[in-house]
Amino acid sequence: MAGKERSPRHRPWSVYRANTFDLSAEMMGLALSGKSQDPDEPVLEFSVACSELLTPSLDRKPTSFVAVSCTTPPQAFWTKHAQTEIIEGTSNPIFLSSVAFFQDSLITQQTQVKLTVYDVKDRSQGTMYMLGSSMFSVKELLQEKHHRLHLMLRSTENEPVGNITVIAWQVEEKHEKRGPVARLQRGDTVNGRMVLPVDESLTESMGVKSKSSSLCKDPLLKAVFGGVMSRTYRFPTTDGNHLRILEQMAESTLSLHIPRQFVKLLLEEDAVRVCEVEELGELSPCWENLRRQIITHYQTIILTYQETISDLHEYKGPSFKSSTLKADKKLEFIPTNLHIQRMRVQGESGYDWTYDVVTIGAPAAHHQGFKGCGLRKLLHKLEEARKHSYQEESSAGSGSKAMAYQPQDIMKAKELIAQINTLKTQVCYYTERLSRAAKDRSANALERTLAILTEKTRQLVIVCDSKLLSSAILALAAARPEFTQQGTPSPSSSSLSPSSRSPSRSPSRHPTSPSRTSTSPSRHAAPPEGLEGSKNKRTSFQADLHEEEWEKIWLNVDKSLECVIQRVERLLQRDKLQSDSSSEDVFMLASEEPSNTKKGEWSDALYPLLTTLTDCASLMSDKAKKAMVFLLMQDSAPTIAMSLTLQYRRDVVFCQTLTALICGFVIKLRNSLCDSGFLRQLHTIGLLVQYESLLSTYGEELSMLEDMSIGVMDLRNVTFKVTQATSAFAPDMLPVITGNRNGFNVRVPMPGVMFDTLPREIQNGMLLRVQPVLFNVGINEQQTLAEKFGDTSLQEVINMESMTRLSSYYDQFKEVLPEDSLPRSRSTTSVPELLKQLSQNVNAKKSKNVEILWQAAEACRRLNGVRFTSCKSAKDRTAMSLTLEQCQILQQEHALAPQVFYQALDCMRSEGCRRENTMKNVGCRKYAFNSLQLKAFPRQYRPPEGTYGKVET
């Protein structure tokens, strides 16, 4: 650590603040000439190195670390502040972890610092003894030339046991060369107080377009993240310089905020579904019993959601769910151990890079348990149960062919309901607007509004011209008591499914892609054969009556619209002629229909026509919506209990995944405000989000992986919209969710100064899509069992599916965006070559092929994606993966000296933020591994001795 001596002009950045002590007598009351100091910069940072350490046993070299304690008068006791990593078997250890005092440390020039060196005899057992210690004051360090102290270590017997060197770190000045500190001390003063210049590199991150936004002070990130924990390191590079590493970990207020919103939306959606089913009208006894059963199941789920909302609002704990609570019923919608992990890298040449990863415990229904299967298998079982129920129903029928609705029919029905609701609302709205324009006699407004009303009404008519919808209307009519009394079969009382004898159940009556071939709904084929002749005739007659009735309703809307159009055209034409006194047609028109210049003339003329249009559109919409609701009721009836139970599980998993996604989106967007390439990519092809999973494919973790894979893929139904925050108040900058299970939109408010930097497309409300991918490689001893005695096919399928989607995303990128819009990389491997290597690894049959994870993570970073890392609890394996990724980035992108790679890796694992994450979760600073387990781990994922043990997971 002696290192090369630096020129006196290269002052420690801490001196800019520290020398103010001599004038102001306190470190936090500085008078600086810069805009504001970087909130992530410590007020003091130093590194330590020992030399010539002596141990009682001369044949043994010490395994040592340094504990740092401090006290500030009048405090009379020592407080432990930090410690270095452990370095084995050397009398001259050079420690990579630095000691930092941040702005909340409240140190002054009188603060005393004590350095105590320990010799660790057994790292696994934690047995150690004190070699020696030494003390210095902050003032001594800052006044020493070049800010180095060479101190002697003394044992408790006051015997010399070695030396320790303390070095206050420096930052290269980028903007101008300034004189030495001695000259600055004789510089300008304001009110008798020195004003010291501050390097702009220390303040630029406070600006909107900085590459690194502070988790502690940035208004947007401060609203979303909290509980920030920081660690600092100084690593040597291949060119003889040093990297300054700031590692941070923060929890998120969204861990509770998002689930509270999400569950409320689910509650509202299911309550609406119950109302829709109840409003179907009178049904025959068998259908009525079926409806009551469905409503009962929904009410049970609604009650569960109500209890969940109550539990979430009553929760008063920290803003993250610890791994020990992952199976807690009251908190099951909250993601487990959700944190943002940040690494900020600053080089002596002045560059500043930030890397963020969201960590989350496996999104899974831990409370509900796994019992041998997760969502993927459960969804398959649900489909099988539906097929089985229809087969049973078919065999119970008297020769009729029972057919289940196809999945595309169900999706079409849900789309129709959403479209009908939206278009009906729009028709009513523009009808009211047209009436207002007529009342105001505004010709321009009348003409513009009529054009929009015409478009929306015709869209509604087209939507309702569907064979699927027509057949559903007939099926609902057949379920009415009067229809049943005339001999039409009703649903079997022994089954929850409706009778397949309804005309709507024939596949020929509801093709999946009907085309509009005329201006009226197509008539349908005759009811199925096989019934008695007279019954068949009655059924056919009733079907024709209902079909004619629906056709009349449908045509009435079209005719009502035509009447409105014609009347508006006449009004506009007369107005135009009246404004032209030279026109002879005025007198002709006046003779046909006397002109009235009263202000209410237009309104009076249009009011009855608009009322008729609104009534006809509402009647058609309500009838169509009821038919689709009835269709969905028929489809869900046979497996309603299983379906709702599975849906609840899917909701739990998706909520956890969605919360993590929103955290990742917010921090990525905030950090990329100055990256025009990323912003263009975001609104053009969407955001790439890459989940890395370390779950094994054995036992319960196999089921967790099933849950997680569905949760990640469901993110395709999520869109984002960036808005301008109404105020700088933190709650006004929290994301807001809208939508339902068919699609959720997340509105992300940003302060005005940030919002103004966004591209016009994003400012105008463009919906931003998400492309999720998931790569999984199990690394623990259970994965060894899976590879030898179990099944790894799920992992292979997930990785191949994600590889296809990742390649497709890059293909889209190449079609519309230039390569230079991607982040720069020192890697000699191009993105296409990287994806090719990843594809080869995905298709290779190789045990614990962790290169898949490394290459997928690199591809994500180089494609401007958001990274997520997960294991069962995001605590142990996640820590190993994160720290490895950080060191790989430092080596690949920032020239970390290869000889210190594993030392840096062990340093981060033993003294970094992830070690503290174990304390937050289980109250113990140990990873939950044992020696036997770690033998099955790939070498790069093994923590240093003394950092692991048998603890709760």
Side-chain angles (χ1 to χ4, degrees), residues 720-769:
F720 286 88
K721 181 179 180 180
V722 184
T723 62
Q724 185 169 344
T726 56
S727 76
F729 190 42
D732 291 333
M733 286 187 281
L734 292 176
V736 178
I737 312 174
T738 57
N740 54 43
R741 292 182 181 95
N742 294 326
F744 289 95
N745 177 256
V746 184
R747 190 169 71 249
V748 179
M750 298 192 80
V753 66
M754 298 181 190
F755 184 78
D756 291 342
T757 66
L758 295 171
R760 188 61 55 191
E761 293 86 350
I762 297 179
Q763 288 188 26
N764 291 340
M766 176 179 284
L767 296 183
L768 310 173
R769 295 170 292 154

Side-chain angles (χ1 to χ4, degrees), residues 256-327:
L256 278 167
H257 179 71
I258 298 302
R260 285 170 179 166
Q261 290 187 71
F262 181 75
V263 178
K264 185 180 179 182
L265 289 176
L266 299 180
L267 176 62
E268 292 171 352
E269 181 181 350
D270 287 346
V272 167
R273 183 70 188 276
V274 169
C275 290
E276 290 173 345
V277 174
E278 287 179 334
E279 292 171 357
L280 282 176
E282 190 177 4
L283 299 175
S284 62
C286 290
W287 284 111
E288 183 61 33
N289 291 337
L290 177 65
R291 173 162 62 179
R292 295 265 63 87
Q293 292 180 50
I294 291 175
I295 290 175
T296 299
H297 283 296
Y298 266 105
Q299 288 174 337
T300 302
I301 291 293
I302 287 173
L303 181 61
T304 304
Y305 287 134
Q306 289 172 337
E307 292 173 351
T308 300
I309 290 177
S310 178
D311 291 335
L312 290 174
H313 282 284
E314 290 175 2
Y315 177 76
K316 303 300 180 185
S319 57
F320 84 105
K321 183 175 76 174
S322 71
S323 62
T324 57
L325 298 175
K326 59 178 169 283

Side-chain angles (χ1 to χ4, degrees), residues 8-9 11-12 15-16 19 142 147 178-187 194 196:
R9 73 174 183 82
R11 291 163 284 112
V15 169
Y16 298 147
N19 272 267
L142 299 174
H147 313 289
R178 300 190 179 97
V181 175
R183 290 174 56 190
L184 284 173
Q185 292 174 339
R186 296 188 295 271
M194 181 178 293
L196 301 178

Side-chain angles (χ1 to χ4, degrees), residues 470-481:
S470 299
S471 63
I473 290 172
L474 294 180
L476 177 57
R480 302 297 185 193

Side-chain angles (χ1 to χ4, degrees), residues 637-749:
T639 55
I640 185 64
M642 183 180 181
S643 179
L644 289 182
T645 301
L646 190 151
Q647 183 63 68
Y648 182 81
R649 185 186 190 98
R650 195 169 189 170
D651 291 340
V652 169
V653 174
F654 178 71
C655 183
Q656 298 174 24
T657 318
L658 175 64
T659 305
L661 171 67
I662 297 173
C663 287
F665 179 89
V666 169
I667 201 165
K668 180 66 176 180
L669 182 62
R670 174 61 189 92
N671 287 343
S672 304
L673 291 179
C674 60
D675 189 343
S676 59
F678 166 77
L679 294 173
R680 184 182 174 194
Q681 179 181 341
L682 178 63
H683 71 73
T684 304
I685 62 173
L687 179 68
L688 174 66
V689 294
Q690 185 249 326
Y691 280 77
E692 172 186 309
S693 170
L694 298 153
L695 294 171
S696 68
T697 55
Y698 189 84
E700 286 192 348
E701 289 196 5
L702 176 62
S703 301
M704 291 179 203
L705 182 58
E706 288 188 28
D707 279 3
M708 183 177 181
S709 64
I710 296 298
V712 171
M713 290 306 103
D714 282 347
L715 294 178
R716 290 177 291 184
N717 296 327
V718 177
T719 56
F720 286 88
K721 181 179 180 180
V722 184
T723 62
Q724 185 169 344
T726 56
S727 76
F729 190 42
D732 291 333
M733 286 187 281
L734 292 176
V736 178
I737 312 174
T738 57
N740 54 43
R741 292 182 181 95
N742 294 326
F744 289 95
N745 177 256
V746 184
R747 190 169 71 249
V748 179

